[in-house]
Amino acid sequence: MTNIIRKVATKFNNSLSGNDLKIIAVVAMTLDHIAEGFLPEQFWGYQVLRFIGRITGPTMMFLIAEGYRHTHDIRKYLARLAVISLVSWVPFALYEDGSWPVLDFSVISTLFLGLLSIYVWERSKWSMPVKAAVIYVLMLLAIPCDWSIFGVVLILIFHIYHDDKKKLLAGYYLICTFIVGTQIASNGWNSFFQFGLLSVPGLFLWLYSREREANTPISKWFFYGYYPLHLTILCYFR
């Protein structure tokens, strides 16, 4: 049995590319938002789909950290995220709150602030106190965003401990265990699906090949544009 498990693990190890992770995140996100918008919390399918949906946030954050290492122009990368963040504000607010404008921003805003935090962290000419102060301000700006401060912290963990799996895992589980604990304490077992967060690291630590395919302009903007587009469609049918 042990040999079988090893063979299976070896076969699937490093088997997913960056685009594979994006597709998994998109599918999981869609299922999560369908469940959130159309299914009652007491229905078992709600818990299952939202459990799967917990894949999305951490995977997107991991890909932002990876994207920083592979981008040819960090300023254009930041600009793209800023544009999609603004475009996503209206459909996200309408989907989550039923009105706009409200001080409630999507995870795309969190990803933008996280990428900006990495950019600040890597500024070699800045002293550590200056970096810490700027990143602290960026975390405060993330409070009204989906994933709040935790999203920025996770993106920094993925970047800083990129080559140290033990520290990366320790940081990830510290943050996500806190999130799961607070959600269960606040909402009871209706938030059981949050345990899905604890199953995510296998995707990007053992299955991810660290390969980045060249994106065509169409595929690049599909992944950016899908977020506000699918929220707009869900708002229409909700």
Side-chain angles (χ1 to χ4, degrees):
M1 179 62 73
T2 302
N3 288 334
I4 293 175
I5 293 173
R6 285 177 180 173
K7 287 180 181 179
V8 172
T10 301
K11 180 179 179 180
F12 289 99
N13 190 34
N14 299 329
S15 60
L16 298 178
S17 67
N19 279 344
D20 292 333
L21 289 184
K22 289 178 183 178
I23 292 169
I24 290 170
V26 163
V27 172
M29 174 181 66
T30 304
L31 294 176
D32 181 63
H33 287 163
I34 289 173
E36 182 185 15
F38 299 95
L39 298 179
E41 290 184 1
Q42 295 75 20
F43 178 51
W44 65 268
Y46 173 91
Q47 295 292 331
V48 171
L49 293 182
R50 300 217 66 193
F51 185 97
I52 295 171
R54 298 312 93 197
I55 292 172
T56 305
T59 302
M60 293 170 73
M61 293 163 197
F62 175 79
L63 289 171
I64 286 294
E66 284 292 299
Y68 177 86
R69 294 174 178 274
H70 292 91
T71 187
H72 299 295
D73 192 328
I74 184 61
R75 289 180 174 83
K76 286 184 178 179
Y77 193 8
L78 284 165
R80 287 195 297 270
L81 281 176
V83 169
I84 299 302
S85 172
L86 289 174
V87 171
S88 301
W89 183 23
V90 175
F92 178 78
L94 291 175
Y95 180 78
E96 289 291 332
D97 306 293
S99 62
W100 184 85
V102 291
L103 196 64
D104 192 6
F105 301 95
S106 74
V107 70
I108 307 298
S109 300
T110 311
L111 299 179
F112 168 75
L113 293 170
L115 181 61
L116 193 54
S117 296
I118 293 177
Y119 178 72
V120 170
W121 178 267
E122 292 296 334
R123 298 291 288 177
S124 58
K125 295 182 180 179
W126 292 13
S127 67
M128 187 54 69
V130 171
K131 293 180 184 181
V134 175
I135 290 173
Y136 177 73
V137 171
L138 293 175
M139 288 182 180
L140 293 180
L141 292 174
I143 290 175
C145 304
D146 193 16
W147 277 85
S148 190
I149 293 173
F150 304 113
V152 176
V153 173
L154 283 175
I155 291 171
L156 284 171
I157 288 172
F158 290 143
H159 175 72
I160 295 170
Y161 299 120
H162 178 270
D163 299 317
D164 191 331
K165 288 185 178 180
K166 289 183 179 180
K167 290 182 179 179
L168 190 154
L169 275 174
Y172 178 85
Y173 279 117
L174 178 66
I175 297 297
C176 288
T177 300
F178 177 81
I179 293 173
V180 172
T182 54
Q183 289 294 312
I184 294 294
S186 299
N187 304 314
W189 291 106
N190 284 336
S191 292
F192 175 81
F193 63 87
Q194 296 289 357
F195 281 99
L197 289 172
L198 305 182
S199 65
V200 177
L203 271 179
F204 43 73
L205 287 185
W206 291 285
L207 297 182
Y208 177 49
S209 64
R210 298 190 183 274
E211 292 180 5
R212 302 281 291 191
E213 300 105 323
N215 282 326
T216 65
I218 293 176
S219 65
K220 178 187 293 185
W221 285 103
F222 168 78
F223 287 118
Y224 283 121
Y226 183 83
Y227 186 85
L229 177 62
H230 93 282
L231 284 179
T232 301
I233 295 171
L234 290 178
C235 282
Y236 177 80
F237 287 103
R238 195 171 186 177

